[in-house]
C-alpha cells in the first residue's frame, strides 16, 4: 500500500477577508507543482465564508463539483432553474457537463464552512445536472454513510464518474475496514475533526491521507467524537 500525507498545516491559503479557503491542491493563487490533484480528484478546498458574502454567478463545464456543507446556511441558484437554501448537513452536486452557471452565498447569521470538491468526469459534455440531499449528523451517528455515488438512488447524490464519497461520524472509538470498489484504485481520507489512525499514520483535524496500490481493505482506527470524509475514485482515466 502506497500513501501520501497531506498535513493540514501545509495547505495553501486564499484569504480575501470574507473568504478563507484552505487549498489542498493547486487552485487559484496557490500553485504547487507537486500537488496538482490526487488521481481524478483535482480540487479539495476547505472554505469559510462570512455572512452575507459568497460566490457570484460563474460558469463551469465538464467537472463533477461536490459541496459538503459542514456549518452554516448557504443558498444555491443556477442556470438550470434551481433556487434553494441549504442548511448544514446538505450535500450538493453539479454534474457540469456541457456547461452551467451558478451562485452560492452565505444567507445565514453565522459563518459557513463547506468542502468544495472537484472530480474529473467519466464522460464529456453530458447534459448538466444538479442534485441535493440532506445528511443530518444526528441521523448518521456511529456509521459510515454514502453521500455520493456513481449509482442513481434516492438516498444519496450521484455523479458522472466511478467514485464514491462517504461521511463517517463516531461518538465512541471505532475500527473499520474499508474495501475499494473494483474499478477504483485510490482512497482519499480527510479528517474533519478528531483523530484517525491508518497503519502507523495518525491523522488529526483537517489532515488527509491519499492511498493507492492496494487490493486489501484499508483499516481505520477512529478516536471518540471523530468525523471524516472518504473519497474513492479511479487513479486515472
Amino acid at each position: 500500500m502506497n500513501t501520501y500525507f497531506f498535513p493540514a498545516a501545509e495547505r495553501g491559503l486564499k484569504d480575501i477577508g470574507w473568504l478563507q479557503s484552505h487549498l489542498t491542491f493547486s487552485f487559484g493563487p496557490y500553485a504547487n507543482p507537486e500537488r496538482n490533484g490526487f488521481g481524478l480528484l483535482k480540487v479539495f478546498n476547505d472554505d469559510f465564508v462570512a455572512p452575507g458574502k459568497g460566490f457570484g454567478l460563474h460558469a463551469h463545464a465538464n467537472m463533477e463539483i461536490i459541496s459538503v456543507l459542514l456549518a452554516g446556511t448557504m443558498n444555491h441558484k443556477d442556470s438550470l432553474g434551481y433556487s434553494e437554501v441549504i442548511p448544514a448537513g446538505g450535500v450538493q452536486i453539479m454534474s457540469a457537463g456541457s456547461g452551467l452557471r451558478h451562485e452560492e452565498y452565505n444567507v445565514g447569521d453565522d459563518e459557513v464552512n463547506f468542502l468544495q470538491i472537484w472530480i474529473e468526469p467519466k464522460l464529456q459534455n453530458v447534459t448538466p445536472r444538479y442534485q441535493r440531499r440532506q445528511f443530518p449528523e444526528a441521523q448518521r451517528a456511529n456509521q459510515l454513510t454514502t453521500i455520493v455515488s456513481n449509482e442513481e438512488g434516492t438516498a444519496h447524490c450521484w455523479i458522472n464518474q466511478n467514485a464514491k464519497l462517504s461521511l463517517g461520524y463516531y461518538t465512541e472509538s471505532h475500527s473499520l475496514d474499508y474495501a475499494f470498489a473494483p474499478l477504483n484504485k485510490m482512497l482519499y481520507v480527510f479528517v474533519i475533526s478528531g483523530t484517525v489512525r491508518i497503519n502507523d499514520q495518525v491523522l488529526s483535524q483537517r489532515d488527509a491521507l491519499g492511498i493507492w496500490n492496494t487490493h486489501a481493505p484499508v483499516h481505520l482506527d477512529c478516536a471518540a467524537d471523530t468525523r471524516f470524509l472518504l473519497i474513492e475514485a479511479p487513479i486515472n482515466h
Side-chain angles (χ1 to χ4, degrees):
M1 183 174 78
N2 295 109
T3 63
Y4 190 95
F5 182 45
F6 298 93
E10 293 183 7
R11 296 180 296 176
L13 176 64
K14 178 180 180 180
D15 186 350
I16 54 175
W18 64 267
L19 169 67
Q20 287 194 343
S21 186
H22 300 271
L23 312 169
T24 300
F25 307 120
S26 295
F27 187 87
Y30 175 59
N32 184 338
E34 296 182 354
R35 294 190 179 174
N36 288 321
F38 179 62
L40 298 188
L41 174 63
K42 296 303 177 184
V43 171
F44 194 99
N45 298 348
D46 188 2
D47 290 344
F48 295 82
V49 182
K53 303 296 184 178
F55 306 88
L57 192 66
H58 60 285
H60 295 284
N62 289 317
M63 190 64 69
E64 303 302 300
I65 300 172
I66 303 154
S67 297
V68 181
L69 190 58
L70 301 179
T73 306
M74 189 166 65
N75 85 323
H76 170 88
K77 292 184 180 180
D78 63 38
S79 55
L80 302 178
Y82 290 94
S83 179
E84 61 181 359
V85 173
I86 305 168
V91 174
Q92 66 175 17
I93 66 96
M94 290 183 293
S95 190
S98 58
L100 56 75
R101 294 172 296 154
H102 76 113
E103 67 175 49
E104 316 282 335
Y105 279 90
N106 180 347
V107 294
D109 297 326
D110 301 316
E111 185 177 61
V112 155
N113 176 211
F114 75 102
L115 304 178
Q116 180 182 175
I117 300 159
W118 295 13
I119 297 175
E120 289 190 15
K122 179 170 59 176
L123 301 174
Q124 298 285 304
N125 298 317
V126 300
T127 300
R129 184 172 52 82
Y130 169 81
Q131 190 178 37
R132 191 257 294 184
R133 296 282 186 264
Q134 284 297 130
F135 299 92
E137 189 172 79
Q139 296 180 18
R140 54 181 180 80
N142 299 309
Q143 61 184 320
L144 191 63
T145 303
T146 299
I147 59 172
V148 176
S149 171
N150 68 321
E151 299 177 349
E152 296 186 42
T154 59
H156 58 264
C157 299
W158 66 277
I159 60 172
N160 169 31
Q161 185 50 269
N162 297 317
K164 182 179 179 181
L165 281 72
S166 305
L167 280 173
Y169 169 43
Y170 293 96
T171 60
E172 304 295 335
S173 58
H174 183 80
S175 296
L176 67 150
D177 291 314
Y178 185 85
F180 289 77
L183 291 176
N184 296 334
K185 302 299 183 183
M186 59 76 105
L187 181 69
Y188 183 81
V189 182
F190 177 76
V191 177
I192 299 167
S193 63
T195 303
V196 175
R197 178 187 291 273
I198 300 173
N199 293 339
D200 294 327
Q201 182 68 63
V202 176
L203 308 180
S204 300
Q205 181 168 306
R206 263 48 186 194
D207 289 339
L209 188 70
I211 301 168
W212 74 102
N213 195 26
T214 180
H215 299 288
V218 176
H219 184 77
L220 295 88
D221 290 310
C222 308
D225 197 26
T226 289
R227 298 163 178 83
F228 60 91
L229 173 68
L230 303 181
I231 303 175
E232 65 165 87
I235 199 76
N236 51 40
H237 292 288

